[in-house]
Amino acid sequence: QVQLVESGGGSVQSGGSLRLSCAVTGSINCRYDMNWYRQAPGKEREFVSGIDTGGNTLYADSVKGRFTISHDKMKNNAKNTVADLQMHSLKPEDTAMYYCEAAPRPIIPAFIRDCSGSTWGQGTQVTVSS
């Protein structure tokens, strides 16, 4: 059974910083790509940033240069993957509910049945006031 816990978020003024963290505990047969999405009221959910098992990162254009995603290497092991999203220079348009997704990959192809289906967090609110 996969468990995912999000933390961080809160309210800041424009230009401020926040840090989100996402921790997933799952099968030792899997590794996890970690992605952050956000959804503002009345808008569709959008991709924000992601980091794969190899440490490769991806960012939405709207957050490039302001957000940084990274693994917490001190906490990562065979069962646990932790990814942090550091957000700087926050803008009011960054206000949204932020969701973490853990997408599993098998460490070898034989384990593919153990590593199917993403797990989503319940979301954490980020509010940026002008």
Side-chain angles (χ1 to χ4, degrees), residues 63-80:
V63 306
K64 279 181 183 176
R66 301 188 297 123
F67 290 13
T68 302
I69 192 168
S70 62
H71 283 129
D72 186 334
K73 296 181 180 178
M74 292 293 291
K75 296 179 180 178
N76 285 2
N77 55 43
K79 291 190 66 175
N80 301 305

Side-chain angles (χ1 to χ4, degrees), residues 27-33 53 77-78 81 103-107 115:
S27 170
I28 59 173
N29 297 330
C30 314
R31 296 294 178 263
Y32 295 87
D33 296 340
T53 58
N77 55 43
T81 301
R105 294 192 188 191
I107 58 173
C115 310

Side-chain angles (χ1 to χ4, degrees), residues 58-105:
L58 192 63
Y59 298 94
D61 288 343
S62 59
V63 306
K64 279 181 183 176
R66 301 188 297 123
F67 290 13
T68 302
I69 192 168
S70 62
H71 283 129
D72 186 334
K73 296 181 180 178
M74 292 293 291
K75 296 179 180 178
N76 285 2
N77 55 43
K79 291 190 66 175
N80 301 305
T81 301
V82 181
D84 296 330
L85 182 67
Q86 181 67 54
M87 306 182 292
H88 295 297
S89 302
L90 283 162
K91 306 174 182 180
E93 50 263 44
D94 294 317
T95 295
M97 186 71 78
Y98 283 69
Y99 298 91
C100 178
E101 176 203 20
R105 294 192 188 191

Side-chain angles (χ1 to χ4, degrees), residues 1-5 23-27 32 77 79-81 102 119:
Q1 185 177 359
V2 180
Q3 295 180 325
L4 189 150
V5 177
V24 63
T25 300
S27 170
Y32 295 87
N77 55 43
K79 291 190 66 175
N80 301 305
T81 301
T119 300

Side-chain angles (χ1 to χ4, degrees), residues 4-12 17-23 36 75 82-87 90 96-100 122-127:
L4 189 150
V5 177
E6 299 161 330
S7 60
S11 298
V12 294
S17 299
L18 285 172
R19 186 180 190 91
L20 306 181
S21 185
C22 181
W36 283 98
K75 296 179 180 178
V82 181
D84 296 330
L85 182 67
Q86 181 67 54
M87 306 182 292
L90 283 162
M97 186 71 78
Y98 283 69
Y99 298 91
C100 178
Q122 294 185 334
T124 183
Q125 179 68 37
V126 171
T127 302

